Amino acid sequence: SGWNASAVLTHYDIARDETRSATSAPPAALSGGAGTLTDGAGTGWDTLDIQATWDPTPDSILAAHRFALGYHRNHYVMQNRSDNTLDWMSGAPTTPVATFLGQTALQAAFAQDVWRFAPGWALTLGLRYESWQATGGTRTTGSAAPVLYPDSTAYGVSPKGALTWTVRDWTYKLAYGRGLRFPTVSELFQGSVVG
């Protein structure tokens, strides 16, 4: 009983990510030659999840309840550059082919209560609030001017409720919920640019 909590923090950074492709097919490509070099260095993400539960003591006026609270944050960065190279095996980049840049971030908080109001019965009510943001979106093809995407924000609320009844090793549940999904950084800013 009482408060219990957990926290999870992640940091993932792609320090080096080179993909080299030959323009010609083997066997000619096996000795080098022109190609492309795609560099994804700088791409990565950070996440933070904090959760806490509170189980009142059995003699408490709130003993039939179990409360949960939480906070989540994630931040994704995409940096993807593709260039031509004179030697696909080890050459340096020469002229640009395509560039995809952008970031997304999400913050969310939730609260939930499980109320065991009668033997075998439980009512769960919860609410989650989310704030999403996309920034710095850029796509470039070749030496053309970059396509800049305006920064974007969105908010949402996800309620949930469930009524459960357990009798003779069977559990019956009636539930309602709404979940939101916001686009990822690659879904927004990676792809091709056409006229």
Side-chain angles (χ1 to χ4, degrees):
S1 61
W3 284 99
N4 293 281
S6 68
V8 177
L9 175 68
T10 65
H11 173 73
Y12 192 90
D13 180 30
I14 299 175
R16 182 178 176 191
D17 179 24
E18 290 186 355
T19 303
R20 294 174 175 272
S21 303
T23 302
S24 60
L30 298 178
S31 59
T36 58
L37 167 62
T38 302
D39 187 358
T43 296
W45 62 85
D46 297 292
T47 65
L48 171 65
D49 279 291
I50 300 172
Q51 296 184 34
T53 60
W54 181 51
D55 289 304
T57 57
D59 58 346
S60 167
I61 191 171
L62 298 173
H65 294 266
R66 184 172 193 265
F67 301 97
L69 303 168
Y71 172 79
H72 170 82
R73 183 182 192 287
N74 64 47
H75 178 237
Y76 290 87
V77 177
M78 181 180 65
Q79 296 186 18
N80 193 317
R81 294 175 174 84
S82 183
D83 297 283
N84 291 311
T85 181
L86 298 176
D87 180 3
W88 75 274
M89 297 176 89
S90 60
T94 55
T95 56
V97 174
T99 302
F100 308 105
L101 308 171
Q103 301 181 38
T104 58
L106 176 73
Q107 293 190 75
F110 78 89
Q112 175 179 285
D113 177 23
V114 179
W115 177 29
R116 301 191 180 283
F117 59 90
W121 289 88
L123 177 64
T124 302
L125 297 174
L127 189 68
R128 178 180 169 97
Y129 172 78
E130 295 173 286
S131 171
W132 173 86
Q133 184 177 35
T135 58
T138 305
R139 291 190 201 186
T140 306
T141 299
S143 58
V147 176
L148 305 177
Y149 290 82
D151 293 349
S152 183
T153 57
Y155 307 92
V157 176
S158 301
K160 78 172 187 178
L163 179 65
T164 58
W165 177 44
T166 303
V167 58
R168 295 191 189 100
D169 297 327
W170 286 85
T171 299
Y172 302 91
K173 180 184 278 191
L174 178 65
Y176 167 82
R178 176 178 185 245
L180 298 175
R181 181 190 177 280
F182 295 98
T184 65
V185 67
S186 58
E187 288 172 339
L188 288 173
F189 305 126
Q190 191 167 14
S192 60
V193 179
V194 296

